[in-house]
Amino acid sequence: MNARELFKSAKAAMGRAYAPYSRFPVGAALRTETGAVHAGCNIENASYPEGWCAETTALGHMIMAGGGKVAEIAVVAEKMPKIMPCGGCRQRLSEFVTADAKLHLCDLDGVVETVPFSAVFPRAFGLEANR
């Protein structure tokens, strides 16, 4: 799967977003090292902001499918080109990404910029910080 196809999965997920409070639909798609793709959308509720992000949903799908290591991530938002995962999602993603994982920042037409995930979250903490 190439970056364009990963973007299409993220955009399709964004179309399923449940965002009646923020009116800010977001979609994300993750590709694992084995090529499996897991997509997710943001899901809000009346106890706003107690919903969850598109990246979190995609990670949940990945874990439920058996897990893996994330090699690529595509994120798209209806109202913000080149949206970046929030801090919480950067931490969540950091626990599953490969050392050379790529983050594709998209607009509604496709991938606009690709950056190494390590560049957007260089000092994540993990299990080793708890030992």
Side-chain angles (χ1 to χ4, degrees):
M1 170 171 277
N2 63 34
R4 176 85 183 148
E5 292 167 336
L6 196 62
F7 156 74
K8 287 180 181 178
S9 292
K11 188 174 181 182
M14 181 183 70
R16 295 184 173 269
Y18 180 71
Y21 303 97
S22 71
R23 293 185 173 31
F24 194 84
V26 180
L30 315 173
R31 185 184 61 77
T32 66
E33 289 179 303
T34 63
V37 174
H38 306 281
C41 61
N42 57 321
I43 303 168
E44 300 175 349
N45 65 57
S47 184
Y48 185 75
E50 291 299 318
W52 53 91
C53 300
E55 299 90 340
T56 302
T57 305
L59 280 171
H61 285 273
M62 183 188 83
I63 296 301
M64 291 301 296
K69 294 298 270 179
V70 176
E72 288 184 271
I73 306 149
V75 184
V76 62
E78 186 177 274
K79 298 178 180 178
M80 182 184 290
K82 292 174 47 171
I83 190 164
M84 186 70 70
C86 72
C89 285
R90 291 181 206 194
Q91 177 62 46
R92 287 180 197 96
L93 289 165
S94 75
E95 304 221 4
F96 298 96
V97 295
T98 60
D100 61 346
K102 296 179 181 122
L103 173 60
H104 304 294
L105 307 176
C106 307
D107 65 12
L108 294 179
D109 296 319
V111 176
V112 176
E113 183 179 354
T114 299
V115 297
F117 183 81
S118 60
V120 300
F121 204 60
R123 295 186 179 192
F125 56 89
L127 288 174
E128 62 280 352
N130 294 322
R131 293 184 183 165

